[in-house]
Amino acid sequence: MYEFAVLAAEGGEDVNPLVPETYDIVWSVVCVAIIAVLFYKYVIPRLTKVLDERTDKIEGGIAKAEAAQEEAQQTLQQYQQQLADARLEAARIREDARTQGQQILAQMRSEAQAESDRIVAAGHAQLEAQRQQILTELRSEVGRTAVDLAEKIIGQSVSDEAKQAASIEKFLSELDETDAGIGVGR
């Protein structure tokens, strides 16, 4: 460096150490130009290509995300529709079951009423049959008793069966009339 200052001092020029020589500037500009050309020819296109690919990926990702969100929204709507349909179906099934239950209950009530009526009718029929049987037994018993009493009162035997039957019937009819007049009987 010292030599550089001595040479400069000998030339009589005042040299600024911060300003480079002209040939240095020219060669530096040439190198920068070559690097700039190579940079624009090779580096920039690759960089642009990479940036374009990333942009496409990002836009594609956004489009895919929007499509996925749209599909998810449609799936949600379908799910909500299916859920609403299932609720409606459940309500319909409950209503059908309630209606069916009421029909079964009404049918069972009518069957129970019919069975009750049949049992009551059978009971009335049985009571009437027993009443008739008792009346028949009572007539024959009363008839025998009347004949026995008549024999004791008359003092003779009432042996004619036709007369006996006629007397019994007369006595029983009088007894029925008396019972009807008093209000005894059925």
Side-chain angles (χ1 to χ4, degrees), residues 111-186:
E111 288 175 2
Q113 185 63 39
E115 183 68 17
S116 173
D117 292 344
R118 186 191 64 78
I119 290 171
V120 168
H124 283 300
Q126 187 177 6
L127 283 174
E128 187 60 32
Q130 286 177 349
R131 182 179 174 275
Q132 290 299 326
Q133 181 183 1
I134 289 172
L135 278 176
T136 305
E137 289 176 5
L138 188 59
R139 283 182 182 249
S140 66
E141 195 63 36
V142 168
R144 274 187 246 124
T145 306
V147 169
D148 288 343
L149 284 174
E151 284 179 354
K152 285 183 183 177
I153 292 175
I154 298 177
Q156 46 177 283
S157 168
V158 182
S159 59
D160 187 13
E161 288 194 23
K163 286 182 182 179
Q164 206 177 36
S167 297
I168 292 172
E169 286 301 317
K170 182 179 173 189
F171 176 74
L172 287 176
S173 64
E174 288 175 5
L175 187 62
D176 282 342
E177 288 173 10
T178 307
D179 283 346
I182 299 173
V184 177
R186 297 183 194 171

